[in-house]
Amino acid sequence: MLVEENEIIAMHYDENPSYQLIQQNTGVDIQFIHPAAGTETEAFQLMLAGDLPDMILMSKGAWYTGDLAAMYEDGIIIDLLPYLDEYAPQYKSVIDHSELAQAQCYADGKVLGFYKVTHADKMPYVRVNTNKDWLTEMGVAEPKTIAEYEAYFDWILKNKEGVTPIFIGTFTNTGSMEMNLFTGAFDFLYSWYVTKEDATKAAYWANAPEYKEYLTLMNSWYNKGYLGKDFMGMTLTEAQAQFDAGKIGCIVDSVDATYSRVQESANLFNVTNLPYMRKEADSVLGSGLAATPVGDGGEWVTVVTSACKNPELAIQYLNYGYTYEGSLIFTFGVEGTHWNWGEDGLPKFTDEILHNPKGMTISNVSYALKIHFGAKYCYPDDIGHPGTASNTTALRIRTMWKGDTNEQNWLQLPPVKLTAEESAERSELMAQVDTYAKEMMIKFITGAEPLENFEAYVEEVNEYGLTEAIEITQGALDRFLGK
């Protein structure tokens, strides 16, 4: 049995032709259990209180306090390492490929899950998107510095009546990838990170000394009308509609999806995206997307539970996604239907994926016809992502800042490992910290809380438990560095 998140598709995974082929090729019949969309966490907790399935595809760190190490200690999942040499040699080869992969996939001498892994370079897909025709009308290239961004925003307010210059998101709900497009200019990340001054020192955004300067900028943007007074109440879908209608000048969103929606499909206007914001043109940023084997901190992972009566078969089945044959099915779908070999020797998606006759979007087909989540080796997006693989313009849009050597990754926290006790303690502390810190972020940005009170806020957020949480993270970093 396998529990999966039903995030995009309305169909059952039993109907997914790629899963059908995988079951046929492995000889393993899978019974899928789908929680209702939006109820994943609750369904997960109910499942733990009842009968465990054989395997679980789960959101790592989000559904169980203490993460996988705690699940193992609590007897819910098993250590896979004793089985890998015989039953999952391809997966073991993939995670042993580099020291960084080992650091991400091994935990205290154990392997507790099957991760999505790639050793290919990654391409940042979230940036600030804008109307290229407006930049041409203004007579400037894509803005890069804070001053250039603000000059563009001022031009929009002056020349485009009723247009909000930029939509970043709801701040408190937006992801670190989106926020780091701006926090990187101030040498901190909207997550755990290592400091610019000392790469052996762990830090967190909520009490970072540089955070006040960032808030000062966001508060000025709010006061000047760059953000729009209703920025907290607008969803991304609503903002996309406003951007497409020319009512928002810039939107933080997927660059190739924006191009596909605005320019390729509807031909509304020409779009472009902007480099990461920085103070000076030659500023070196540490907030670029790091090319780690397990992306996004290994958020999605497949585990084998202690209830599985045949773990050898389960592990052998999961290994299929790391074999050459299996990885092609996971990434591209069914050969001859969803893809064919191109003249350059690379897989090429067919119109069943790119221009689905039933009207499914690229996102829909990624879940319904091929397999987006799951235990698999991932191919680079320039051949494995339908939105860029067969569209040279979309690929150019995605990679137009690839040569910017000033976008680096040195702020990223290495893949440290917390013990089950540490993870549980830090999670409990951070639940309070994040709630308070995010509430105060909005107050500082809107001016409801004067920035003169920032130091008092830092004292308060530290008392909520952030000091202890940083100490826990520092201990894990010290172990990782061999201190």
Side-chain angles (χ1 to χ4, degrees):
M1 301 167 71
L2 184 66
V3 175
E4 301 231 10
E5 186 206 19
N6 188 16
E7 182 176 272
I8 298 294
I9 62 172
M11 63 179 288
H12 199 282
Y13 274 172
D14 276 334
E15 303 171 55
N16 184 312
S18 295
Y19 267 127
Q20 291 174 351
L21 180 59
I22 288 168
Q23 292 176 78
Q24 176 183 321
N25 289 352
T26 60
V28 178
D29 183 27
I30 301 295
Q31 178 186 344
F32 295 96
I33 305 171
H34 293 282
T39 68
E40 295 82 20
T41 303
E42 294 81 359
F44 180 78
Q45 298 301 327
L46 288 173
M47 178 193 68
L48 295 182
D51 295 327
L52 287 172
D54 294 325
M55 298 173 281
I56 310 170
L57 173 54
M58 59 178 286
S59 180
K60 176 180 175 290
W63 294 353
Y64 197 88
T65 301
D67 204 3
L68 301 190
M71 292 182 70
Y72 173 77
E73 290 192 3
D74 291 344
I76 298 170
I77 61 176
I78 66 171
D79 177 16
L80 308 172
L81 186 58
Y83 301 89
L84 296 187
D85 283 329
E86 183 173 358
Y87 298 102
Q90 284 81 11
Y91 181 58
K92 190 169 189 297
S93 177
V94 165
I95 64 175
D96 284 346
H97 181 73
S98 69
E99 291 184 1
L100 188 54
Q102 292 172 17
Q104 289 190 288
C105 299
Y106 285 78
D108 193 26
K110 304 178 183 66
V111 176
L112 299 178
F114 283 81
Y115 296 92
K116 290 172 59 177
V117 182
T118 182
H119 295 295
D121 288 338
K122 294 184 178 135
M123 298 185 295
Y125 67 92
V126 171
R127 289 187 184 268
V128 179
N129 300 272
T130 193
N131 187 326
K132 185 174 178 60
D133 298 334
W134 288 3
L135 292 174
T136 302
E137 185 179 342
M138 184 181 174
V140 297
E142 287 86 356
K144 178 182 293 186
T145 66
I146 295 174
E148 290 170 346
Y149 267 79
E150 292 187 333
Y152 182 46
F153 297 160
D154 284 332
W155 181 89
I156 290 174
L157 288 176
K158 182 179 179 180
N159 294 276
K160 303 296 176 182
E161 185 177 356
V163 176
T164 298
I166 186 167
F167 175 83
I168 297 175
T170 58
F171 283 86
T172 56
N173 293 324
T174 197
S176 59
M177 187 182 300
E178 291 81 5
M179 291 285 281
N180 291 342
L181 298 180
F182 306 95
T183 63
F186 303 95
D187 297 324
F188 76 97
L189 299 182
Y190 184 64
S191 59
W192 294 100
Y193 67 100
V194 295
T195 66
K196 178 182 180 180
E197 296 76 21
D198 187 352
T200 69
K201 183 179 179 182
Y204 194 69
W205 65 270
N207 67 352
E210 302 84 359
Y211 180 41
K212 183 178 181 180
E213 189 178 4
Y214 165 78
L215 288 172
T216 301
L217 179 70
M218 291 297 113
N219 173 251
S220 72
W221 283 14
Y222 180 79
N223 290 332
K224 293 175 182 177
Y226 297 166
L227 294 175
K229 299 302 181 183
D230 61 346
F231 75 95
M232 273 301 297
M234 186 178 294
T235 67
L236 177 60
T237 300
E238 292 169 338
Q240 288 170 340
Q242 291 285 300
F243 178 76
D244 297 358
K247 297 300 182 181
I248 290 177
C250 301
I251 186 170
V252 178
D253 201 358
S254 166
V255 295
D256 42 302
T258 301
Y259 162 78
S260 176
R261 186 185 73 248
V262 175
Q263 188 171 336
E264 185 178 44
S265 299
N267 195 27
L268 298 174
F269 50 82
N270 295 313
V271 295
T272 188
N273 63 87
L274 313 183
Y276 288 16
M277 188 181 74
R278 59 208 74 188
K279 292 181 179 179
E280 305 295 338
D282 59 353
S283 297
V284 180
L285 304 172
S287 54
L289 180 69
T292 55
V294 179
D296 303 320
E299 179 183 359
W300 291 97
V301 61
T302 305
V303 296
V304 178
T305 75
S306 56
C308 182
K309 296 180 179 179
N310 192 343
E312 296 85 358
L313 183 60
I315 291 166
Q316 190 172 35
Y317 165 80
L318 292 171
N319 180 65
Y320 187 65
Y322 306 89
T323 67
Y324 177 64
E325 179 182 82
S327 65
L328 288 172
I329 299 172
F330 269 90
T331 299
F332 302 101
V334 178
E335 183 179 1
T337 301
H338 305 134
W339 65 278
N340 292 302
W341 291 106
E343 293 181 359
D344 58 0
L346 297 174
K348 305 294 181 182
F349 289 109
T350 67
D351 281 346
E352 186 74 14
I353 296 290
L354 300 177
H355 306 286
N356 184 263
K358 295 182 179 179
M360 286 193 286
T361 66
I362 292 295
S363 294
N364 293 153
V365 298
S366 293
Y367 291 82
L369 301 183
K370 60 191 217 60
I371 301 169
H372 184 70
F373 291 126
K376 64 174 181 175
Y377 179 79
C378 304
Y379 289 75
D381 281 353
D382 56 353
I383 65 170
H385 188 287
T388 56
S390 301
N391 189 322
T392 56
T393 304
L395 182 60
R396 178 186 61 78
I397 289 287
R398 170 81 78 92
T399 59
M400 64 185 294
W401 304 109
K402 189 176 182 180
D404 188 348
T405 57
N406 284 4
E407 291 184 5
Q408 299 181 18
N409 304 313
W410 38 263
L411 286 172
Q412 186 190 33
L413 183 74
V416 301
K417 297 291 185 183
L418 274 63
T419 66
E421 293 78 9
E422 290 172 339
S423 181
E425 182 180 357
R426 194 181 75 171
S427 295
E428 184 175 350
L429 292 168
M430 293 309 295
Q432 303 176 75
V433 167
D434 282 335
T435 298
Y436 175 68
K438 290 177 179 180
E439 289 175 354
M440 291 301 294
M441 178 197 294
I442 299 305
K443 290 182 179 180
F444 283 129
I445 291 174
T446 61
E449 185 75 25
L451 282 162
E452 289 79 7
N453 295 340
F454 181 78
E455 283 69 27
Y457 149 78
V458 170
E459 291 182 9
E460 190 76 12
V461 79
N462 286 341
E463 290 178 3
Y464 269 96
L466 182 52
T467 300
E468 290 85 350
I470 291 176
E471 290 175 354
I472 291 171
T473 308
Q474 184 65 53
L477 177 58
D478 289 343
R479 291 196 301 271
F480 179 86
L481 297 173
K483 286 190 169 185

